[in-house]
Amino acid sequence: VFYALDHFVRLADAGLDVAAVNLSLATASLYAGACDAVQTGEIDGAGFAAMLADLRDRGVAVTVASGNDGVAGRMAFPACLSAAVAVGATDLADHIAPFSNTAAGMDLLAPGATSGSSSLAIPSGTGYSQWAGTSFAAPHAAGAYALLDGRYPTATVDQRLWFLRTAGVA
């Protein structure tokens, strides 16, 4: 993941307009607050935090799935990083999906429950299987950042986040 994120830093440095990077991944470890300093065998919080902050400083939002454990008050790593745009999932009625992790540091909610939409339908044999999760919600947020980048190319990640929070359903 570090190499992929570093690639986006290099693209941004080369002058390419990178609005957002999506991370639809999560560890089994859940955190109530910012996890920037976490160091375990599988997690280098400081390294990830620095990489996400570096991208954010370049105007690139890193949207990250909050996790699918249905836990209130905790999010999975790396959504818990302070520079991440942590994204939980909503259901068809714009309520927080029961499987979505949530915490005070969560930034956005986006569609992530099964709806029959082609964005959530996976080809399966002769038809489609319906899937749900915060890994489906986070790309919606990344796409919203990309659309806002097209309309407001000089806006910062935080300005776009403010717009999404104030213009969307509470």
Side-chain angles (χ1 to χ4, degrees):
V1 176
F2 277 114
Y3 292 119
L5 293 173
D6 184 59
H7 178 71
F8 284 102
V9 168
R10 287 185 274 120
L11 290 175
D13 285 348
L16 294 174
D17 186 18
V18 180
V21 174
N22 178 64
L23 296 179
S24 286
L25 53 89
T27 64
S29 302
L30 302 178
Y31 300 91
C35 58
D36 296 14
V38 171
Q39 289 293 134
T40 68
E42 70 178 46
I43 297 173
D44 174 14
F48 259 98
M51 184 66 74
L52 269 59
D54 199 17
L55 283 162
R56 194 176 191 114
D57 289 346
R58 287 170 166 75
V60 180
V62 181
T63 61
V64 186
S66 67
N68 300 321
D69 305 292
V71 176
R74 296 185 181 274
M75 287 189 294
F77 182 90
C80 54
L81 293 168
S82 59
V85 177
V87 183
T90 60
D91 62 18
L92 296 176
D94 283 331
H95 299 121
I96 297 173
F99 56 79
S100 182
N101 292 348
T102 60
M106 191 167 66
D107 297 296
L108 295 170
L109 292 164
T114 55
S115 66
S117 164
S118 62
S119 63
L120 300 174
I122 309 298
S124 173
T126 59
Y128 291 91
S129 296
Q130 295 296 314
W131 289 61
T134 58
S135 289
F136 292 100
H140 280 89
Y145 265 95
L147 289 171
L148 286 173
D149 181 62
R151 179 70 172 98
Y152 305 103
T154 61
T156 66
V157 171
D158 289 331
Q159 289 168 330
R160 292 180 185 134
L161 178 59
W162 175 85
F163 181 81
L164 290 169
R165 284 180 163 174
T166 58
V169 176

